[in-house]
Amino acid sequence: MTAPNGHPKHDHPYETADRAGRAMLARMTSGASLNAAAAAWADWASHLARAPGRQMELAERAMRNGAKLAAHAAGLTRDDPPFRPRAEDHRFSHPGWSTPPFSIWQQAFLAAQDWWDAAAEPARGTDPHNSDRVAFMARQMLDVLSPSNVPLTNPEILQETVRTGGGNLMQGMRHLAEDIRAQATATPAETASGFAVGRNLAVTEGQVVFRNELFELIQYAPRTEKVHPEPVLIVPAWIMKYYILDLSPENSLIGYLVEQGFTVFAMSWVNPSADYRDVSLDDYRRDGVMAALDAVGKVMPGQKIHACGYCLGGTILSIAAATMARDGDDRLGSITLLAAQTDFTEAGELMLFLDESQVAFLEDMMWDQGYLAQEQMAGAFRALRDEDLVWTRAVSRYLMGKEDEAFDITAWNADATRMPAKMHSDYLRALFLDNRLTSGRFAVEGQVIALKDIRAPMFVIGTEKDHIAPWHSVYKVALFTQNELTFVLTKGGHNGGILSEPGHKGRHYRIGCRTPETRYTDPDSWYARHPATEGSWWPEWARWLAGKTGPAEAAPPAMGAPDAGLPPLCPAPGTYVFMK
């Protein structure tokens, strides 16, 4: 018998006590493994200690940075500061940062940041993963010490304090007290967003026509007299609520599809409790995606189904599609993947949190809880962009006294879900750590599956600034498939790039199609060969779907299939979406 990591499994009579201790520690660290962090620093430091040339290089860099900083402090470089913030760092955008003494404090911080960027580059022999983790942790520590976080060294806070007579600090203290109370009582803080599911979010009209223990299936009501004959099934990620694709009416992707004459079904995943601890990744495939396909087939029998998966929903859809192809199940008319990865060798900054030590630590915490809690997963995502999502927000809310801005996507982002312990462990190990899906080692029901068996055409979306599913990683599905594949690269991030409705200002996209006979093109070459087109990618997808589903000349189907045991159960957005 083997353990999850593939090593022989031995009986350890006190293993339960060890796991309980690690689980308690994991709760204190929000799931971050101290051993993984220490190992990264030790690997980096030991190799640097054996590289005297690299040490001299860093010492010279420190002296050069110090000299540049001294010259700036002396007023010799005021019009051309030696260090500049990263393009995505907006903490120093206030004009007050260009005048002393604030400019000196800013430059000192950026000089230290420049030195650590160089220091974290791996010395020969260092594990690149450890070097990346050290760079990440160094950035986290520096961000704590940023002068933008301190009222006396931030010109914007000082200006606001003078303007309001200290009212901003008083309001900020009230915000802090509210957030501490909410954290201590495990209740969500009250917001002035005005957004609520069923009122102005997830309001596209429809009916729940199927429900099991994992999901509800929503069928959306037609808005056109005639519809395309074949339906669209949306498989969202189970990590968040489905209505990211049905936000406000003006940016609802589901609403847009319905308006284009498509019959749309969407899965709304359950928010699992500890009772779901033993639900597996394959349960999500079998009792989730496959059960949804079965239900859609009963509502619209004899029609091909055009499935669309978002993020992890796209990953599980790819697994289901490859399994169907292996087994001769040809119900899929096409497959659309929205910011979804199938290969995880270049899975982006999330890999900073994942190695054997970290996954084992998370597994011990989930063994105790039965699930991964919303706030534990959300903390990892916030850490990836802490200067914006943590420190900039803290300065704005607690020192500037401002309310959080009201956006529909912000309300959705706060409405996360839990993940069952076994399922989360399954996909962390099988996909992120072992990358089994594209290496020929992912088995479903005892038999290995392969993406190259998929014959249904694909429409794949990557987003330019995706921290969760980098577009180079999303693009790699082209390397492991042999079907017709249209790839689109759109402006924006993991969520913002998908929510790119027609009329959205400043949007562009690139699009290209590969036929089964086309030779592989690497992502950078593909990018160079496909110029940007201004506007939204949504109409491109609608046209592509229309070409696959047939013209909109059919009568809309009935809601549900009462004769097949699928009567409408309740109006959209259903009941699972409200589970906390």
Side-chain angles (χ1 to χ4, degrees), residues 209-210 217 219 231 263 265 292-303 557-562 564 566-567:
V209 297
F210 176 82
L217 182 67
Q219 179 184 351
T263 300
F265 296 79
L293 289 170
D294 292 341
V296 173
K298 290 180 180 179
V299 176
M300 300 182 68
Q303 301 291 350
M559 299 300 288
L566 297 179

Side-chain angles (χ1 to χ4, degrees), residues 62 76-77 361 368 392-393 504 520:
L76 303 178
T77 61
F361 203 58
D368 178 40
T392 298
R393 178 183 181 273
H504 195 128
Y520 174 73

Side-chain angles (χ1 to χ4, degrees), residues 131 358 403 418 481:
S131 295
Q358 180 63 69
E403 294 283 357
R418 296 174 289 272
T481 55

Side-chain angles (χ1 to χ4, degrees), residues 256-276:
Y256 176 80
L257 287 175
V258 174
E259 290 172 352
Q260 305 308 306
F262 294 99
T263 300
V264 180
F265 296 79
M267 300 172 66
S268 174
W269 296 103
V270 73
N271 191 1
S273 65
D275 295 337
Y276 285 72

Side-chain angles (χ1 to χ4, degrees), residues 278-414:
D278 294 323
V279 174
S280 68
L281 182 64
D282 195 56
D283 290 330
Y284 270 70
R285 178 198 64 85
R286 184 185 62 250
D287 299 329
V289 178
M290 299 309 298
L293 289 170
D294 292 341
V296 173
K298 290 180 180 179
V299 176
M300 300 182 68
Q303 301 291 350
K304 295 281 188 179
I305 300 170
H306 300 267
C308 168
Y310 183 25
C311 188
L312 288 175
T315 304
I316 196 71
L317 173 60
S318 300
I319 292 170
T323 305
M324 294 170 70
R326 181 198 68 189
D327 298 340
D329 186 339
D330 62 354
R331 285 179 289 171
L332 293 179
S334 71
I335 299 165
T336 297
L337 303 180
L338 309 180
Q341 297 177 98
T342 53
D343 180 90
F344 292 82
T345 53
E346 300 178 56
E349 293 178 342
L350 277 179
M351 294 302 293
L352 293 170
F353 297 94
L354 294 175
D355 57 18
E356 179 61 40
S357 174
Q358 180 63 69
V359 171
F361 203 58
L362 283 174
E363 286 175 335
D364 289 336
M365 182 174 66
M366 294 188 296
W367 165 80
D368 178 40
Q369 296 177 164
Y371 54 79
L372 186 69
Q374 302 103 311
E375 61 272 13
Q376 290 159 344
M377 176 58 70
F381 289 123
R382 284 196 298 269
L384 293 178
R385 296 175 57 204
D386 68 323
E387 65 267 19
D388 282 337
L389 301 182
V390 178
W391 296 111
T392 298
R393 178 183 181 273
V395 168
S396 175
R397 184 165 172 79
Y398 304 138
L399 300 179
M400 298 291 288
K402 296 180 180 179
E403 294 283 357
D404 291 336
E405 291 190 60
F407 296 110
D408 50 7
I409 196 169
T410 304
W412 167 83
N413 196 55

Side-chain angles (χ1 to χ4, degrees), residues 76-423:
L76 303 178
T77 61
R78 188 173 300 172
D79 295 333
D80 188 20
F83 304 101
R84 295 190 179 276
R86 298 185 180 98
E88 66 274 12
D89 187 350
H90 305 294
R91 289 173 292 184
F92 304 107
S93 58
H94 188 271
W97 288 108
S98 63
T99 60
F102 307 107
S103 62
I104 299 173
W105 295 329
Q106 178 222 43
Q107 288 295 298
F109 171 79
L110 295 177
Q113 188 178 71
D114 175 81
W115 187 88
W116 271 106
D117 286 345
E121 292 179 4
R124 183 173 174 81
T126 311
D127 185 334
H129 182 74
N130 285 334
S131 295
D132 290 343
R133 184 173 283 179
V134 165
F136 174 78
M137 289 186 286
R139 190 185 76 201
Q140 297 272 303
M141 291 186 291
L142 283 172
D143 286 343
V144 174
L145 302 174
S146 172
S148 61
N149 300 334
V150 181
L152 292 178
T153 58
N154 186 323
E156 187 175 9
I157 298 172
L158 288 175
Q159 185 182 73
E160 184 68 9
T161 302
V162 171
R163 188 186 70 82
T164 64
N168 58 310
L169 298 178
M170 294 298 295
Q171 183 62 33
M173 291 300 293
R174 283 191 285 270
H175 289 161
L176 180 61
E178 291 170 2
D179 291 349
I180 291 174
R181 176 189 58 79
Q183 183 72 22
T185 58
T187 57
E190 295 183 7
T191 66
S193 71
F195 290 103
V197 173
R199 187 176 72 215
N200 48 14
L201 298 175
V203 294
T204 304
E205 184 181 353
Q207 292 283 331
V208 173
V209 297
F210 176 82
R211 178 187 296 130
N212 66 15
E213 292 185 350
L214 277 184
F215 75 99
E216 291 180 329
L217 182 67
I218 301 170
Q219 179 184 351
Y220 290 94
R223 294 183 183 175
T224 55
E225 292 185 1
K226 298 292 185 178
V227 298
H228 297 277
E230 297 174 352
V232 175
L233 170 65
I234 293 178
V235 183
W238 54 83
I239 193 173
M240 300 294 272
K241 300 291 180 69
Y242 85 94
Y243 64 91
I244 181 64
L245 299 178
D246 189 26
L247 282 174
S248 303
E250 61 270 16
N251 63 358
S252 168
L253 180 57
I254 289 173
Y256 176 80
L257 287 175
V258 174
E259 290 172 352
Q260 305 308 306
F262 294 99
T263 300
V264 180
F265 296 79
M267 300 172 66
S268 174
W269 296 103
V270 73
N271 191 1
S273 65
D275 295 337
Y276 285 72
R277 65 169 60 242
D278 294 323
V279 174
S280 68
L281 182 64
D282 195 56
D283 290 330
Y284 270 70
R285 178 198 64 85
R286 184 185 62 250
D287 299 329
V289 178
M290 299 309 298
L293 289 170
D294 292 341
V296 173
K298 290 180 180 179
V299 176
M300 300 182 68
Q303 301 291 350
K304 295 281 188 179
I305 300 170
H306 300 267
C308 168
Y310 183 25
C311 188
L312 288 175
T315 304
I316 196 71
L317 173 60
S318 300
I319 292 170
T323 305
M324 294 170 70
R326 181 198 68 189
D327 298 340
D329 186 339
D330 62 354
R331 285 179 289 171
L332 293 179
S334 71
I335 299 165
T336 297
L337 303 180
L338 309 180
Q341 297 177 98
T342 53
D343 180 90
F344 292 82
T345 53
E346 300 178 56
E349 293 178 342
L350 277 179
M351 294 302 293
L352 293 170
F353 297 94
L354 294 175
D355 57 18
E356 179 61 40
S357 174
Q358 180 63 69
V359 171
F361 203 58
L362 283 174
E363 286 175 335
D364 289 336
M365 182 174 66
M366 294 188 296
W367 165 80
D368 178 40
Q369 296 177 164
Y371 54 79
L372 186 69
Q374 302 103 311
E375 61 272 13
Q376 290 159 344
M377 176 58 70
F381 289 123
R382 284 196 298 269
L384 293 178
R385 296 175 57 204
D386 68 323
E387 65 267 19
D388 282 337
L389 301 182
V390 178
W391 296 111
T392 298
R393 178 183 181 273
V395 168
S396 175
R397 184 165 172 79
Y398 304 138
L399 300 179
M400 298 291 288
K402 296 180 180 179
E403 294 283 357
D404 291 336
E405 291 190 60
F407 296 110
D408 50 7
I409 196 169
T410 304
W412 167 83
N413 196 55
D415 192 14
T417 61
R418 296 174 289 272
M419 286 184 284
K422 180 170 175 51
M423 183 277 296

